[in-house]
Amino acid sequence: MAISTINASIITIGDELLIGQVIDTNSAWMSRELNSIGVWVRRRIAIGDNREDIWNALDQESNESQIILLTGGLGPTADDITKALLCEYFGGQLIVDPKALANVKNIFERILKRPMIDRNLKQAEVPDVCTVIQNKRGTAPGMWFEKEGKIFVSMPGVPHEMQGMMTGEVLPELKKRFILPFIQHKTLLTAGVGESFLAEHIKSFESSLAPQVSLAYLPNYGMVRLRLTASGENEEKLKNELETQFDTLKKLVSEWMVIDEDLSLEHAIGKLLREKNKTLSTAESCTGGYISHLITSIPGSSDYFKGSVVSYSNEIKEKLLHVNPQTLQNAGAVSRETARQMAAGALAIFNTDYTIAVTGIMGPDGGSPENPVGTVWVAVGSKQDIEEQRFHFRFDRLRNIELTSSNALNLLRKIIVAETPL
Amino acid sequence: MAISTINASIITIGDELLIGQVIDTNSAWMSRELNSIGVWVRRRIAIGDNREDIWNALDQESNESQIILLTGGLGPTADDITKALLCEYFGGQLIVDPKALANVKNIFERILKRPMIDRNLKQAEVPDVCTVIQNKRGTAPGMWFEKEGKIFVSMPGVPHEMQGMMTGEVLPELKKRFILPFIQHKTLLTAGVGESFLAEHIKSFESSLAPQVSLAYLPNYGMVRLRLTASGENEEKLKNELETQFDTLKKLVSEWMVIDEDLSLEHAIGKLLREKNKTLSTAESCTGGYISHLITSIPGSSDYFKGSVVSYSNEIKEKLLHVNPQTLQNAGAVSRETARQMAAGALAIFNTDYTIAVTGIMGPDGGSPENPVGTVWVAVGSKQDIEEQRFHFRFDRLRNIELTSSNALNLLRKIIVAETPL
């Protein structure tokens, strides 16, 4: 007997999404988690705090999917209408849930140490036709409804509150309720090659894939991730098939492959440094600490990362990184020589095996005819050898910072791999 | 005659969205821009590279909205089916657009300096029933279709390519086509007060608002933005009404107000420093350069920000920030004394008016009974006075870093305001 696909829809509620004041990160997280248990997210929809639109979305999405997950619209303020609407939609009455009430009281008394007001108590009200999902990280409880064989779960929009409920209660319960297919992804990261070129390069591989395995291209910041997905019933067989195809793919793209896992470049570099027992520092001008932030966003990075000097003025480049004042005057702050001296300075003061130094103009102002906005010099290396490279980025400030950082990190990766092959 | 509301739907296409491998930032940007010209985004929907789902979404959204904007699914690889589908949906034939072809060739020859392959040439094909929107930033052209009085625009999913088309062609054209209502938002940022408490505090203000003005609460990272929106026909009258109500609101929340514009905390601090002609540095341990990154994400920040030392090891705390080794041994790296000495060290070496120093444990590992994961000491101040504060955050590594940063920045802001009132 074939396992039927279980579809989910995600409904995100809040005017702030429709006027673009916040970016929805919840849907991506929820999709990833649902996918990992074998639930396919068919549609994601964002609507405002508007009665008609929420009602229609509930009708529409329950035609598409067996599972409908809602986030947002549960706050204590007047613009949040979702809870009352759900109560009406599922034909219930609002009642106070004792556990939710105890939770609200506890949060105010012990954690916030603020007086509680009536409006906060309202947070403990739930429709009497739902199963309450207690919120261990905030005041608004989650609500699990069932209607005509469909499951509807409403959760707060605050990411860590929603995540606590999903991980603790919603996902385990969904696994119990449905016979789910096996889904597995394998992803690798490439750098320095375009999507079209890659596609042409692996064309015959792609067309030879079995129907239960699919390939996706995920380009981002000059890097392309390739993802193979296998889904179906026979877990053992699918795992083997995926493993075999992934090995073939790895060989085909080995020239550009950064790592054969779904990890970021900074995570891949962290693994390399750890394996080789090497240390790293950075000296950042135009990236303002962003490279250091990327590296330290990885748990355990203190094992290999010693620190950074963000030298946002010439004075600091001289004083902390020992860049020659003559160099700054003659070649300028954005030059091969300055980048090189920043790298040498960082290697000396941090006493690390490797360093990354960057200096450039991220815009929108500060460009000149010789060094237009987007010009960056990157120097990467070790005490044995420092290599410099110039880049020109053509985007806005933040994207220029991100592109500078990913290119600098990829230069470092190539040097580490070349210098000390595994 | 009343101006009728012009609704838009945004359809985002790509399997990567449904398995959560990328976060959709396009929709927020598009919503903001549409809103600014008076178009109301009614629904945003994300679907996979799936024929039936795309077709249904086109049908469904054109029932809801006059303007349907699509992004994504236009890449050169096999999983991108949108262009062929649109051609069929609108009853056309694929033809080569000469301008788009010249653009693709130019990008490969002059910018990428890579050989072009047949697959790239396919990018220049468009349905003969659309108006082509040339892509100045990439190879995939945009397409403008009209059907039964509705406008459909398909654009690539790469953010800066889509943004170029929207700003250059789509928004100006929409302004010509529709008589749009006037919409204006005014936003202020508060810190240190809960959403419920704020709502209670301004309850009578909220209920007294005229129907054409609405209030929204946008909580994020312990801060709450309050947004007043006016929409309607009489621009002059609405502007005055909004101005008056916003002034009232500002007075009501003055105790917690960070800034009376829709700006981030780091932007508000930048403005303060610039007005008062003061300078800033940071000394970061657990935040790993994130505070420095936030500050330098603001254009022109080099006018007031001198730099940062990211001291990710005790050795660097001693060597660069002159923290006493005895202090590190006795009080520990995560202590009031170490934070204070880091701040004093940063003030001395960067010679700035203000500094922020942070040291803590962001997790998931590294906690101890005295200093559990999430413990942070922040020291903020000037050569005259340094204040320390301890925090306990209970989230994941990245959120702990973000919360530490926003709390440290807000401490700084309060000190600047208190020390040198305007």
Side-chain angles (χ1 to χ4, degrees), chain A residues 15-25 28 31-32 35 40-48 50 52-53 56-57 60-61 64 75-80 108 111 114-115 117 119-120 136-137 158 160 163 185 187 192-197 199-200 203 206 215-218 225 227 262 287-290 292-293 296-302 305-313 315-316 319-320 348-351 363-364 394-399 401, chain B residues 15-25 28 31-32 35 40-48 50 52-53 56-57 60-61 64 75-80 108 111 114-115 117 119-120 136-137 158 160 163 185 187 192-197 199-200 203 206 215-218 225 227 262 287-290 292-293 296-302 305-313 315-316 319-320 348-351 363-364 394-399 401:
Chain A
D15 284 345
E16 65 276 19
L17 293 159
L18 299 184
I19 67 157
Q21 218 154 357
V22 297
I23 286 169
D24 172 25
T25 56
S31 301
R32 218 154 45 223
N35 223 239
W40 178 247
V41 176
R42 181 115 186 223
R43 287 163 51 102
R44 287 167 26 180
I45 164 167
I47 45 177
N50 170 304
E52 187 192 340
D53 289 347
N56 286 346
Q60 227 171 48
E61 297 311 315
E64 304 276 348
T77 54
D79 57 338
D80 293 309
F108 274 84
I111 299 171
R114 261 203 309 252
I117 53 182
R119 202 184 281 265
N120 301 125
K136 299 196 174 89
R137 301 174 177 184
V158 183
H160 73 281
Q163 289 170 14
H185 306 290
T187 304
V193 59
E195 186 185 359
S196 303
F197 191 90
E200 202 59 31
K203 191 165 64 176
E206 190 171 359
L215 173 70
Y217 297 79
L218 308 165
R225 279 181 296 173
R227 189 193 64 229
D262 191 11
T287 45
Y290 190 65
S292 174
H293 163 61
T296 58
S297 67
I298 307 303
S301 47
S302 58
F305 186 66
K306 295 300 160 204
S308 176
V309 167
V310 178
S311 54
Y312 227 58
S313 68
E315 188 197 339
I316 299 303
K319 193 168 162 184
L320 289 185
I349 54 172
F350 289 106
N351 194 28
R394 305 166 300 145
F395 308 111
D396 64 15
R397 183 178 180 86
L398 209 53
R399 197 170 149 82
I401 290 172
Chain B
D15 283 345
E16 65 275 19
L17 293 159
L18 299 184
I19 68 157
Q21 218 152 357
V22 298
I23 286 169
D24 172 26
T25 56
S31 301
R32 219 155 44 223
N35 223 240
W40 178 246
V41 177
R42 180 113 185 225
R43 285 161 53 101
R44 287 169 25 181
I45 164 168
I47 45 177
N50 171 303
E52 187 192 340
D53 289 347
N56 286 346
Q60 226 170 48
E61 297 312 314
E64 303 276 349
T77 54
D79 57 339
D80 293 308
F108 273 84
I111 297 171
R114 263 205 305 254
I117 52 183
R119 202 184 279 264
N120 300 124
K136 300 196 174 88
R137 301 174 176 183
V158 183
H160 72 282
Q163 289 170 15
H185 306 289
T187 304
V193 59
E195 186 185 358
S196 303
F197 191 90
E200 202 60 32
K203 192 165 62 176
E206 190 172 359
L215 173 70
Y217 297 79
L218 308 166
R225 279 181 296 175
R227 189 192 63 231
D262 191 11
T287 46
Y290 191 66
S292 175
H293 163 62
T296 59
S297 67
I298 306 304
S301 47
S302 58
F305 185 66
K306 297 299 161 206
S308 175
V309 167
V310 178
S311 55
Y312 227 58
S313 68
E315 188 197 339
I316 299 303
K319 193 169 161 184
L320 289 186
I349 53 171
F350 289 106
N351 194 27
R394 304 166 299 144
F395 309 112
D396 64 16
R397 184 179 181 86
L398 209 54
R399 197 170 149 83
I401 291 172

Side-chain angles (χ1 to χ4, degrees), chain B residues 94-107:
Chain B
L94 280 181
I95 52 165
V96 171
D97 181 73
K99 277 194 192 164
L101 182 63
N103 179 50
V104 173
K105 283 186 175 163
N106 180 51
I107 286 181

Side-chain angles (χ1 to χ4, degrees), chain A residues 343-413:
Chain A
L347 286 167
I349 54 172
F350 289 106
N351 194 28
T352 51
D353 298 303
Y354 294 104
T355 203
I356 297 175
V358 288
T359 178
I361 301 140
M362 300 286 90
D365 303 315
S368 67
E370 317 88 73
N371 285 321
V373 165
T375 307
V376 183
W377 274 101
V378 175
V380 176
S382 61
K383 281 168 193 164
Q384 286 71 51
D385 184 35
I386 295 174
E387 292 180 21
E388 307 91 18
Q389 192 168 332
R390 186 167 57 178
F391 295 93
H392 291 287
F393 300 112
R394 305 166 300 145
F395 308 111
D396 64 15
R397 183 178 180 86
L398 209 53
R399 197 170 149 82
N400 286 340
I401 290 172
E402 289 167 336
L403 280 167
T404 301
S405 302
S406 64
N407 277 282
L409 284 167
N410 198 37
L411 267 184
L412 170 71
R413 184 191 63 84

Side-chain angles (χ1 to χ4, degrees), chain B residues 115-249:
Chain B
M116 194 168 45
I117 52 183
D118 280 355
R119 202 184 279 264
N120 300 124
L121 291 174
K122 287 245 170 228
Q123 294 279 72
E125 289 183 354
V126 294
D128 57 2
V129 288
C130 78
T131 304
V132 180
I133 303 170
Q134 299 300 332
N135 186 346
K136 300 196 174 88
R137 301 174 176 183
T139 54
M143 296 165 277
W144 175 297
F145 301 90
E146 302 192 20
K147 189 180 179 180
E148 292 162 16
K150 307 289 167 113
I151 290 169
F152 300 75
V153 186
S154 164
M155 290 171 283
V158 183
H160 72 282
E161 297 182 17
M162 175 279 290
Q163 289 170 15
M165 291 183 191
M166 284 286 285
T167 310
E169 310 212 22
V170 180
L171 294 168
E173 189 59 31
L174 291 176
K175 277 201 268 189
K176 279 189 225 157
R177 295 295 191 92
F178 296 99
I179 301 163
L180 295 168
F182 172 76
I183 292 192
Q184 195 178 9
H185 306 289
K186 276 195 160 287
T187 304
L188 60 81
L189 180 68
T190 67
V193 59
E195 186 185 358
S196 303
F197 191 90
L198 261 182
E200 202 60 32
H201 188 75
I202 59 179
K203 192 165 62 176
S204 58
F205 165 79
E206 190 172 359
S207 58
S208 74
L209 286 170
Q212 65 272 25
V213 180
S214 63
L215 173 70
Y217 297 79
L218 308 166
N220 197 25
Y221 293 126
M223 295 188 272
V224 180
R225 279 181 296 175
L226 296 176
R227 189 192 63 231
L228 282 181
T229 302
S231 66
E233 288 166 58
N234 188 331
E235 177 167 344
E236 200 56 38
K237 207 178 133 205
L238 281 171
K239 272 190 171 167
N240 287 338
E241 173 74 12
L242 190 62
E243 203 62 58
T244 309
Q245 296 301 343
F246 194 63
D247 281 343
T248 310
L249 181 60

